Amino acid sequence: AQSVTQLGSHVSVSEGALVLLRCNYSSSVPPYLFWYVQYPNQGLQLLLKYTSAATLVKGINGFEAEFKKSETSFHLTKPSAHMSDAAEYFCAVRDYGGSQGNLIFGKGTKLSVKP
Amino acid sequence: GAVVSQHPSRVICKSGTSVKIECRSLDFQATTMFWYRQFPKKSLMLMATSNEGSKATYEQGVEKDKFLINHASLTLSTLTVTSAHPEDSSFYICSASPRDRGPGANVLTFGAGSRLTVL
């Protein structure tokens, strides 16, 4: 069975500082991993995805994530935070055991950006 | 790009009434749509998988008579919360995968969500 753990339900950074949101996964098969962003009262928007190609994945809005099999991690980073990055971020893994095509989500990390 | 429209974005209803939420794929056909429920400060919980032309597959613990799902066409799935109660208040989100790429193509587009408040 697949699962995702996001460390830290709330992360606060200053504008211009590095953003690091942690995600660890558990999967018995090579995983497909995703990061989504959710703004208040909105649906989810795909930031980036890892599907077994390059281990360093670049996404939208300057975000990137690195797949590290040895650490079972897929942490999301951005070199310089912007006020508009304040949102909830979800890490997800494709569900192989349940409904095909479904994603299993972590509990989310709320990112706050201070001026 | 693929767009999924969800309507209404917000709905307030009285306890005991039924509410219908629509999920439409605007520029692609989707044989499979997923319905999620999101509790405050919680992750998304898959409720059911909606399959065009057949019965939805519900996750364990989700009442199928409570949450009626209909996937009548390749571009529309509906979720009806029947006899709603305050505990049904939540944020409901749908997602869809393009038909021509199949559910295994790792492409899911999410709707903007529907916030249901039951008084």
Side-chain angles (χ1 to χ4, degrees), chain A residues 22-83:
Chain A
R22 299 177 186 274
C23 172
N24 287 88
Y25 70 90
S26 174
S27 178
S28 55
V29 298
Y32 287 170
L33 295 158
F34 306 79
W35 274 100
Y36 283 86
V37 59
Q38 184 181 32
Y39 297 99
N41 293 312
Q42 294 188 28
L44 277 72
Q45 180 182 6
L46 179 66
L47 276 177
L48 49 81
K49 62 181 179 181
Y50 167 76
T51 56
S52 76
T55 57
L56 181 62
V57 182
K58 294 186 183 299
I60 62 172
N61 301 340
F63 284 93
E64 62 181 38
E66 186 173 7
F67 172 72
K68 292 186 176 181
K69 184 178 179 181
S70 61
E71 299 178 7
T72 61
S73 69
F74 191 57
H75 301 331
L76 181 71
T77 60
K78 181 174 181 177
S80 177
H82 192 273
M83 296 296 290

Side-chain angles (χ1 to χ4, degrees), chain B residues 11-82:
Chain B
V11 57
I12 300 173
C13 69
K14 293 182 178 180
S15 185
T17 60
S18 295
V19 174
K20 180 185 285 188
I21 300 171
E22 293 187 347
C23 181
R24 293 180 184 272
S25 54
L26 297 186
D27 49 2
F28 65 99
Q29 293 182 328
T31 51
T32 302
M33 292 186 175
F34 300 99
W35 286 97
Y36 301 85
R37 182 173 178 176
Q38 186 177 31
F39 295 94
K41 301 186 187 302
K42 297 281 188 180
S43 185
L44 282 75
M45 180 190 76
L46 178 66
M47 298 174 65
T49 302
S50 172
N51 302 297
E52 188 270 335
S54 64
K55 291 183 178 180
T57 304
Y58 289 82
E59 296 300 302
Q60 191 173 12
V62 178
E63 300 177 60
K64 57 185 66 176
D65 295 330
K66 174 75 169 176
F67 299 99
L68 300 178
I69 291 174
N70 184 285
H71 195 152
S73 76
L74 287 170
T75 60
L76 174 64
S77 176
T78 61
L79 167 68
T80 301
V81 182
T82 62

